Amino acid sequence: LAKTTQPISMDSYEGQEVNITCSHNNIATNDYITWYQQFPSQGPRFIIQGYKTKVTNEVASLFIPADRKSSTLSLPRVSLSDTAVYYCLVGAREVGNTPLVFGKGTRLSVIA
Amino acid sequence: DAGVIQSPRHEVTEMGQEVTLRCKPISGHDYLFWYRQTMMRGLELLIYFNNNVPIDDSGMPEDRFSAKMPNASFSTLKIQPSEPRDSAVYFCASSLSWQQPMNTEAFFGQGTRLTVV
């Protein structure tokens, strides 16, 4: 499994755009990049997944450069409720056959 | 669907006692995972099942830990005897078969916070 490196923590004010970058230098050709979000006292939940270029959904955007050795999760105009730990995972597109392996994640604190 | 349901939400027990954590996966999901989360070690995968059969239990820390899945709608994680270092939040998650086109995420329960004193 490709190892990922992401900042341990980040702070942001409400209303700002937050970008969390994840490094995965050893990503394999078939690997996808997936991000999960974990609120305090809850289990992680899926945010977004991508393979290359840009993916956007109602929650976030995911930017992946051509070499795919890193990726950036972008959260537009964060609010206090976005305070959570964000995990970057690299592996098979599908869950199950290759179970999710979580790193330490990035703890995002949104300040009023 | 109500999502993945875990019980109890909180458990406090004395060292040496047996502890049983329970999980009901989302109906129709073929995979079930048990994770443990602590501040020091983060989220660790303990064991996972496919169609009720254990596939990989290499993450189970010791023989004191055991997990079963007697049917598609129920799984247990048992610790016997429990020790203070087992204190953690235990999460259960489920997902569709990897062969199904929409299987790109795992759904987690709310977790069981275990405290062994």
Side-chain angles (χ1 to χ4, degrees):
Chain A
L1 295 173
K3 180 180 177 180
T4 60
T5 302
Q6 50 183 125
I8 294 174
S9 64
M10 295 180 67
D11 294 331
S12 176
Y13 287 101
E14 275 191 298
Q16 291 188 327
E17 177 184 79
V18 171
N19 296 310
I20 306 174
T21 297
C22 178
S23 297
H24 28 79
N25 292 318
N26 297 323
I27 189 169
T29 302
N30 296 330
D31 283 342
Y32 278 70
I33 299 143
T34 308
W35 286 79
Y36 276 72
Q37 172 190 54
Q38 184 178 23
F39 294 118
S41 302
Q42 294 188 25
R45 70 166 189 165
F46 174 93
I47 302 177
I48 197 166
Q49 184 185 71
Y51 183 80
K52 60 181 179 181
T53 62
K54 177 183 175 182
V55 180
T56 297
N57 61 23
E58 64 278 5
V59 177
S61 294
L62 179 59
F63 298 92
I64 306 168
D67 66 5
R68 304 197 332 119
K69 293 185 182 299
S70 67
S71 59
T72 299
L73 176 73
S74 181
L75 305 172
R77 295 185 299 279
V78 294
S79 64
L80 295 175
S81 62
D82 293 315
T83 293
V85 178
Y86 293 82
Y87 298 94
C88 167
L89 294 85
V90 172
R93 178 179 182 274
E94 301 86 4
V95 180
N97 204 31
T98 307
L100 301 175
V101 176
F102 290 83
K104 291 298 179 69
T106 298
R107 185 174 300 276
L108 172 66
S109 297
V110 180
I111 308 164
Chain B
D1 200 310
V4 176
I5 300 173
Q6 293 187 244
S7 63
R9 290 294 310 277
H10 302 274
E11 176 80 36
V12 180
T13 189
E14 291 185 346
M15 181 175 61
Q17 296 296 307
E18 175 182 301
V19 175
T20 299
L21 311 181
R22 297 172 175 78
C23 175
K24 176 179 169 54
I26 293 173
S27 177
H29 281 192
D30 297 332
Y31 282 91
L32 184 139
F33 311 88
W34 281 100
Y35 286 84
R36 176 174 70 174
Q37 185 171 38
T38 61
M39 286 296 294
M40 290 296 294
R41 302 174 70 91
L43 262 169
E44 303 172 275
L45 176 65
L46 301 177
I47 185 172
Y48 74 99
F49 296 82
N50 178 217
N51 291 322
N52 314 336
V53 176
I55 302 301
D56 185 351
D57 65 354
S58 60
M60 296 285 262
E62 300 172 34
D63 291 344
R64 298 184 295 106
F65 286 69
S66 63
K68 294 182 179 179
M69 192 164 186
N71 57 62
S73 59
F74 183 65
S75 176
T76 60
L77 178 67
K78 183 181 293 186
I79 308 173
Q80 180 185 23
S82 58
E83 297 182 4
R85 59 195 169 115
D86 301 330
S87 297
V89 180
Y90 291 80
F91 288 103
C92 175
S94 69
S95 71
L96 291 165
S97 167
W98 67 273
Q99 296 162 314
Q100 292 174 275
M102 293 307 293
N103 174 26
T104 58
E105 63 178 291
F107 295 83
F108 284 76
Q110 295 280 66
T112 295
R113 181 174 296 277
L114 173 65
T115 303
V116 183
V117 298

